[in-house]
Amino acid sequence: MYTVTVNGKRLEFNETLTIKDYLESAGVDPKIVVVEHNYEIPDKSKWNEITLKDGDNLEIVKFIGGG
Amino acid sequence: MYNDLRYSRQIILDCFGVEGQAKLKKAKILVAGSGGLGSPALLYLAAAGVGNIGVVDFDTVTLSNLNRQILHFASDLGRRKTDSAEEKLNKLNPEVNVIKHNTRIDIDNVEDIISGYDVVIDATDNFTARYLISDCCYFMKKPLVEGAAVGLDGILMTIIPNKTPCYRCLYPYPPEDGVLPTCSDVGILGPVTGVIGSMQALEAIKLVVGIGENVTSRILTFDALAGSFREVKWPKRESCPLCGKEPKITELVQYEIKCRIKGP
């Protein structure tokens, strides 16, 4: 088991997950968010290559453009 | 001389003083959009004594605006928002100069509009305008306060060109067609835009007066249902298409972004 902090909340996982896997499992449409991984911003094309590890920090920010 | 009593409660702030007030009086701040975000932002800027306030809006006041666009009243229905804004701001504070831009921001006019101002507040309601404004501010080296709200979520970020991450460090390209709902689909609760619009005015005032720390190199996200703010440190995106090492955006772009079509 390992722990990843997602938007400030500590979540525990057993299975190996990429960023893309996590978004899918959380029901987040990857088309409407941007992602920061360990305080760096990976290109969207890397989301299915980066595997989440114990202690990682993930920030998922929605596209918000209204007013 | 200032009407000291009008501004006395901010002048007595240690960090502000008569110097701060003088800076505000000289300042030229543009607010793009006079809707849910722009209404509180404009009211606070006028109340604070910002000497020159530009307002851009092409729209007229409709009934569905009034749950959040507190600058406009029932008696303004059908009226140009820039006219309504000018009247209210002048009534609130006759000492401020209101400059009306009764037009939709586009690729041909954005530079002309922005060029006359020291600070820009983006209070528009769509990504087409947001990319035009933020790219233009980057090219023209104008500080920009980005804020947005939809549903029960808000976001805030201030950008100082060549110093801090830019809007495209956050959102490199617009979302693709058909994935984003429109504001009229998802809805919006007035105080949510009120919170973000008020913070945009605060950011602009801090920039002009030169006090405190702006929300740069980080974003604030507001979750109205949870009643919580989060601060997310946001660095420059190395591959940023605007301010990265190999910029791909070297001139203004006007995107056509289609929102999700409302289901049956």
Side-chain angles (χ1 to χ4, degrees):
Chain A
M1 195 170 68
Y2 62 101
T3 306
V4 176
T5 304
V6 181
N7 286 12
K9 290 195 179 112
R10 288 166 64 86
L11 303 180
E12 291 180 342
F13 300 100
N14 289 309
E15 68 277 34
T16 304
L17 291 173
T18 64
I19 292 174
K20 187 164 176 282
D21 294 334
Y22 170 72
L23 292 176
E24 276 170 14
S25 71
V28 177
D29 181 351
K31 290 173 182 164
I32 63 164
V33 295
V34 290
V35 171
E36 180 190 76
H37 176 246
N38 292 344
Y39 311 103
E40 289 178 3
I41 311 164
D43 274 348
K44 203 168 187 173
S45 58
K46 306 279 187 216
W47 290 2
N48 60 355
E49 295 172 16
I50 297 170
T51 305
L52 297 177
K53 296 187 178 56
D54 192 44
D56 276 5
N57 189 77
L58 206 58
E59 293 286 349
I60 300 161
V61 180
K62 282 188 259 187
F63 269 101
I64 302 176
Chain B
M1 276 307 290
Y2 312 114
N3 182 342
D4 278 350
L5 201 54
R6 175 185 285 275
Y7 307 117
S8 59
R9 296 301 191 272
Q10 61 202 45
I11 286 174
I12 58 170
L13 293 168
D14 282 340
C15 61
F16 203 90
V18 288
E19 300 82 11
Q21 196 60 48
K23 287 178 186 168
L24 281 191
K25 189 180 171 68
K26 268 190 251 161
K28 297 170 188 166
I29 302 182
L30 179 71
V31 180
S34 65
L37 299 167
S39 286
L42 286 160
L43 285 167
Y44 276 121
L45 295 180
V50 171
N52 305 281
I53 303 173
V55 51
V56 195
D57 213 309
F58 68 95
D59 218 349
T60 53
V61 180
T62 60
L63 194 55
S64 65
N65 297 154
L66 300 187
N67 81 320
R68 63 196 183 284
Q69 303 186 12
I70 55 174
L71 196 53
H72 313 298
F73 302 164
S75 53
D76 297 311
L77 289 173
R79 209 173 160 205
R80 283 179 174 180
K81 286 187 182 175
T82 47
D83 291 338
S84 164
E86 178 187 46
E87 183 198 335
K88 308 306 169 23
L89 299 179
N90 283 337
K91 276 185 174 166
L92 172 60
N93 189 348
E95 296 176 11
V96 306
N97 173 34
V98 178
I99 304 117
K100 294 185 287 184
H101 303 272
N102 187 63
T103 182
R104 187 195 287 270
I105 285 190
D106 64 26
I107 196 163
D108 296 318
N109 64 21
V110 64
E111 285 172 278
D112 277 349
I113 293 172
I114 285 175
S115 64
Y117 296 91
D118 312 316
V119 177
V120 178
I121 290 179
D122 188 348
T124 60
D125 64 355
N126 65 88
F127 282 106
T128 303
R130 287 181 185 280
Y131 281 97
L132 273 174
I133 292 167
S134 67
D135 288 351
C136 191
C137 283
Y138 178 78
F139 293 134
M140 299 182 87
K141 313 291 173 225
K142 303 279 186 187
L144 168 66
V145 183
E146 274 291 340
V150 70
L152 292 146
D153 291 313
I155 195 164
L156 180 82
M157 174 192 195
T158 294
I159 298 154
I160 316 289
N162 290 347
K163 285 191 179 169
T164 71
C166 73
Y167 190 62
R168 287 184 188 266
C169 289
L170 179 63
Y171 299 140
Y173 294 101
E176 53 191 87
D177 279 349
V179 298
L180 280 192
T182 63
C183 221
S184 52
D185 270 3
V186 174
I188 179 81
L189 202 55
V192 181
T193 47
V195 165
I196 301 297
S198 302
M199 293 195 72
Q200 289 182 278
L202 180 59
E203 285 289 290
I205 289 170
K206 283 165 62 184
L207 270 171
V208 167
V209 179
I211 53 173
E213 286 174 36
N214 282 105
V215 183
T216 54
S217 304
R218 56 199 171 111
I219 55 176
L220 285 186
T221 62
F222 176 53
D223 179 339
L225 272 193
S228 72
F229 283 96
R230 290 200 66 238
E231 180 192 61
V232 182
K233 301 280 182 206
W234 201 270
K236 280 198 176 208
R237 185 186 286 265
E238 274 190 31
S239 62
C240 176
L242 184 64
C243 75
K245 285 173 189 154
E246 293 168 16
K248 292 177 183 66
I249 307 292
T250 53
E251 56 184 30
L252 296 173
V253 202
Q254 183 161 310
Y255 294 109
E256 299 274 340
I257 307 158
K258 294 188 180 74
C259 282
R260 193 167 68 205
I261 295 161
K262 197 173 184 175

